[in-house]
Amino acid sequence: MMTTTPGRLAPSDLARVAGEGLRTRRTRAALSALGIAIGVAAMVAVLGLSASSQAGLLAQIDRLGTNLLTVTAGKTLTGDDAELPTEAPGMIGRIGPVQQVQSTGTTKASAYRSPLIPAINTNALSVDASSLDLPKALRATVARGRYLNAATAQQPVAVLGATAAKRLGIDRITPNLRIWVGGQWFYVAGILNPVVLTPEIDTSVLVGYPAAQKYLGFDGHPSTIYVRTETEQVEDVHNVLAATANPADASEVTVSQPSAALEARAAAQSALNGLFLGLGAVALLVGGIGVANTMVISVLERRSEIGLRRSLGATKGNIRVQFLSEAILLAALGGVIGVALGSVATFVYAQLKGWSTVVPVLAWGGGFGASVAIGAVAGLLPALRAARMQPTEALRTV
């Protein structure tokens, strides 16, 4: 029969207490690693999703082309709306590197599903006269029906942009489908797919130039001219477009490159990454504090181990390296898990969006490096504290 001295624990109790202490240390270590993993995962995911989004956007721009320029009417010196000459598309077409010139002209008409709709409910749609090869110049495609041709451009026939069709409640083309435009019925011939580079087309109801002049009182002046040019000559053409479109007053003409606006949008999107990276850094900091806390408690709980190792000949440097290595290993484990989680999140989201998956070296390398650095900083003080313990003091406290 085993007896125990009062005030001392039996061997079975000692084993149980030691086991509980080990499980507690493991739980604290796991929570510390989890904090670092969340921070690293956030940083990797933010940078990865941003890079994948930009890669997808730039690939789309490459498919649509960077050689599209738009010419629009600006303002006069008195602040009134200027007008482009009716001859402007023809004059622009004489520029050598120009490949295609198409245009639209804004009318004063509004479009409705029926004449019973109140006039104030315009749904922010514009009714524009359009040249016949506009989809080819914009690289737009027809989702339903067909685009205008030489015959339908003369008649009260319209083609709807993607957003215009949704706002009018039209999702298919049926025989005798009509909308109320400018106080009379217009037949709907087709619906366009969304146009990325020129989203203004999405909210437009397009009719032929002759029909706009005949039925809607259109004056024939184009409001926007779309110019496709040789890619290598975009800048040169850009420089002469205003003077060519309106030789009398080039200052009343605005020339832009739609692809540049999309690239600027990508840059603005990446600028927002700082906010999310800041949140990831906060999570990393919290994880680092957790590592430091874990290592401090570990030093207190393992005083007997420290004292025993020192008694057996371990130097202060050995103790420092031991505890510092444990802190770095714990943080590195969290970093590896975080990189894996962030990369998986980037892959899944990029696949859902149809983007190519891009995880920059800065994302996974920087995230892992930051976790290791935080582990080293967090473990330095506990390691120094453990190394300063004298063997006799450490063993006496057990």
Side-chain angles (χ1 to χ4, degrees):
M1 181 175 179
M2 181 179 293
T3 60
T4 60
T5 304
R8 293 182 178 274
L9 294 174
S12 59
D13 294 330
L14 287 172
R16 177 175 56 80
V17 171
E20 291 177 354
L22 180 60
R23 285 193 294 271
T24 301
R25 287 198 298 271
R26 287 177 176 173
T27 301
R28 283 197 297 265
L31 292 176
S32 300
L34 179 61
I36 289 181
I38 292 174
V40 173
M43 296 176 68
V44 171
V46 167
L47 293 176
L49 291 176
S50 175
S52 299
S53 173
Q54 289 185 27
L57 181 58
L58 293 177
Q60 189 175 40
I61 292 174
D62 289 339
R63 288 194 300 269
L64 296 173
T66 58
N67 60 337
L68 177 66
L69 299 171
T70 61
V71 180
T72 56
K75 298 287 186 179
T76 65
L77 292 176
T78 58
D80 298 326
D81 291 333
E83 283 187 340
L84 292 174
T86 55
E87 302 84 2
M91 293 188 293
I92 292 174
R94 297 188 184 98
I95 301 175
V98 169
Q99 298 170 332
Q100 292 177 312
V101 180
Q102 300 296 316
S103 64
T104 59
T106 302
T107 71
K108 297 180 180 180
S110 298
Y112 305 92
R113 190 67 178 85
S114 78
L116 302 179
I117 305 297
I120 195 174
N121 296 337
T122 62
N123 278 322
L125 303 180
S126 63
V127 179
D128 298 330
S130 170
S131 54
L132 298 182
D133 289 329
L134 183 67
K136 184 178 180 181
L138 302 184
R139 295 184 182 172
T141 55
V142 179
R144 300 283 188 276
R146 61 187 62 188
Y147 195 69
L148 301 169
N149 55 40
T152 55
Q154 308 280 340
Q155 304 300 322
V157 176
V159 173
L160 307 179
T163 303
K166 290 180 181 179
R167 292 178 183 174
L168 291 171
I170 298 173
D171 60 358
R172 66 191 66 185
I173 301 299
T174 58
N176 299 320
L177 175 63
R178 300 183 300 177
I179 58 175
W180 189 252
V181 180
Q184 59 187 315
W185 290 109
F186 270 64
Y187 290 93
V188 178
I191 301 173
L192 297 178
N193 283 312
V195 187
V196 177
L197 288 180
T198 53
E200 67 272 11
I201 299 298
D202 294 341
T203 56
S204 297
V205 175
L206 302 174
V207 301
Y209 266 91
Q213 293 173 320
K214 181 178 180 181
Y215 299 103
L216 303 177
F218 178 55
D219 60 9
H221 289 275
S223 56
T224 304
I225 303 173
Y226 301 95
V227 182
R228 282 279 179 189
T229 182
E230 294 178 8
T231 304
E232 297 78 9
Q233 303 291 327
V234 170
E235 191 61 34
D236 294 333
V237 174
H238 184 282
N239 293 334
V240 301
L241 270 181
T244 305
N246 190 356
D249 200 339
S251 63
E252 296 180 357
V253 179
T254 302
V255 181
S256 62
Q257 188 175 6
S259 60
L262 284 182
E263 291 169 357
R265 190 180 76 183
Q269 182 181 13
S270 65
L272 296 176
N273 291 341
L275 172 62
F276 298 103
L277 289 177
L279 296 177
V282 170
L284 269 178
L285 179 60
V286 172
I289 294 174
V291 170
N293 181 62
T294 297
M295 296 310 299
V296 168
I297 297 176
S298 179
V299 169
L300 295 176
E301 292 179 343
R302 296 163 63 186
R303 286 172 293 185
S304 58
E305 175 190 335
I306 297 170
L308 183 59
R309 289 198 64 204
R310 290 297 308 277
S311 299
L312 294 176
T315 64
K316 292 183 178 182
N318 297 141
I319 301 300
R320 281 196 298 267
V321 170
Q322 175 189 348
F323 281 89
L324 187 59
S325 299
E326 290 180 8
I328 293 175
L329 182 61
L330 182 61
L333 178 62
V336 170
I337 295 174
V339 169
L341 291 176
S343 299
V344 170
T346 299
F347 173 79
V348 172
Y349 192 80
Q351 292 301 308
L352 292 176
K353 288 290 187 178
W355 303 332
S356 58
T357 304
V358 180
V359 181
V361 175
L362 176 63
W364 61 265
F368 180 76
S371 66
V372 171
I374 286 179
V377 172
L380 182 60
L381 184 60
L384 293 174
R385 182 174 182 177
R388 284 197 300 266
M389 281 189 178
Q390 296 300 321
T392 54
E393 294 179 3
L395 290 172
R396 189 184 303 122
T397 57
V398 180

